[in-house]
Amino acid sequence: MPCLLRFSRSPLAVIALVGITTVAAQPLDVPYVPTPQEVVDRMLQLGKIRAGEFHIDLGSGDGRIAVTSASKYGARSLGVDLNPVRIEEARANAKKANVSDRALFELKNLFETDIGKADIVTMYLLPSVNIDLRPKVLRDMWPGTRIVSHAFDMGDWKPDHRESVIGRTVYLWVIPARVQGRWSVEGSHQFTVNIQQQYQEISGTAEFGGKSVPLRDAALSGAEIGFAIDIDGMPIRFQGIVTGDRIDGRRDEWRAARAK
Ligand SMILES: C[S@@+](CC[C@H](N)C(=O)[O-])C[C@H]1O[C@@H](n2cnc3c(N)ncnc32)[C@H](O)[C@@H]1O
């Protein structure tokens, strides 16, 4: 844990050095340190939260992020925390802000929380906790949904955006669709495409007419995929939306299915 100080000036990292308290029945993975309101506001703006969306704050403390998303942005929010004192404070804060019906708080372990229906998840945890959460986030959240973290990154999963707000770092990731593997493309052109994927970064080759050519400008953002290939010396761009084992061309001019 002492190495935390070397790469973070977050007050949370400093408190984590002192030791993590056990207030609740289960030990806490992260001590309580609130996010400054200016940072809360920027986190929600960065996550492009919209009215009616479902927001979850993992380790919700006094509820400020979930209460703000409900009161300022019209979201439905859920905060989970293992400390019953924090849950009481958060419910009182939701009541004060008149959003008790839309900002709910549950005494729950964040690792056991269902995040599969969230449009946006926020967190202010610790580097090791973010890394432990990473497989759950990538498995359970839908492509195109967002994660915003205060202070800590997700290891080798590069953020789609990072910025500094009053000296704090805020990170944004968009959950990428799973596209690794072979796809059969039909429509305006017929070929097979082989995609390699590392989180939202993709590369690969297309095979047609007995030739293999590299994908150019391949990009993935949530469920939106795009790449270009040279056909008869002309660069042709393919832009589509991934839905499970299908990709549909933006203008219906091509489609792809996972190759057997
Ligand atoms: C650094 S505070 C962040 C509070 C709030 N999200 C904010 O940014 O203002 C982390 C919170 O996570 C809670 N916590 C720690 N381990 C947890 C766990 N395993 N499950 C749920 N909550 C946890 C702590 O009680 C604390 O309130």
Side-chain angles (χ1 to χ4, degrees), residues 141-260:
M141 290 183 72
W142 286 90
T145 58
R146 293 90 71 202
I147 297 270
V148 183
S149 170
H150 172 192
F152 302 113
D153 65 17
M154 289 265 200
D156 67 355
W157 181 11
K158 291 186 199 141
D160 293 287
H161 180 84
R162 72 178 267 179
E163 68 179 51
S164 175
V165 187
I166 57 161
R168 308 297 183 88
T169 308
V170 175
Y171 301 86
L172 166 77
W173 295 264
V174 178
I175 307 298
R178 292 185 211 183
V179 294
Q180 166 92 26
R182 275 169 72 78
W183 296 81
S184 300
V185 176
E186 288 179 0
S188 52
H189 298 85
Q190 290 206 0
F191 56 93
T192 303
V193 67
N194 246 312
I195 300 178
Q196 279 87 51
Q197 176 172 20
Q198 169 79 342
Y199 305 111
Q200 70 275 50
E201 292 176 359
I202 58 167
S203 59
T205 51
E207 290 158 29
F208 62 95
K211 282 190 299 188
S212 174
V213 296
L215 301 185
R216 291 207 289 158
D217 304 320
L220 179 68
S221 175
E224 290 188 34
I225 190 168
F227 56 85
I229 56 176
D230 285 338
I231 299 180
D232 299 329
M234 288 283 290
I236 310 278
R237 181 105 196 133
F238 292 82
Q239 203 72 39
I241 299 285
V242 185
T243 315
D245 288 340
R246 286 187 58 82
I247 305 177
D248 291 290
R250 268 263 175 229
R251 291 184 305 281
D252 217 19
E253 74 288 24
W254 68 282
R255 70 209 68 84
R258 280 202 182 270
K260 302 253 157 49

Side-chain angles (χ1 to χ4, degrees), residues 12 20-21 23-24 26-36 40 43 57-66 80-84 86 106-113 122-126 129 150 152:
L12 183 46
I20 292 173
T21 34
V23 188
Q26 291 179 53
L28 298 176
D29 293 289
V30 188
Y32 175 55
V33 181
T35 297
V40 170
M43 286 172 78
D57 188 38
L58 294 175
S60 47
D62 70 358
R64 59 185 61 199
I65 308 185
V80 296
D81 204 292
L82 268 185
N83 187 337
R86 297 280 99 82
E106 280 180 32
L107 186 66
K108 198 166 195 153
N109 192 322
L110 57 92
F111 286 103
E112 286 154 22
T113 300
T122 52
M123 56 202 199
Y124 180 24
L125 300 169
L126 281 172
V129 181
H150 172 192
F152 302 113

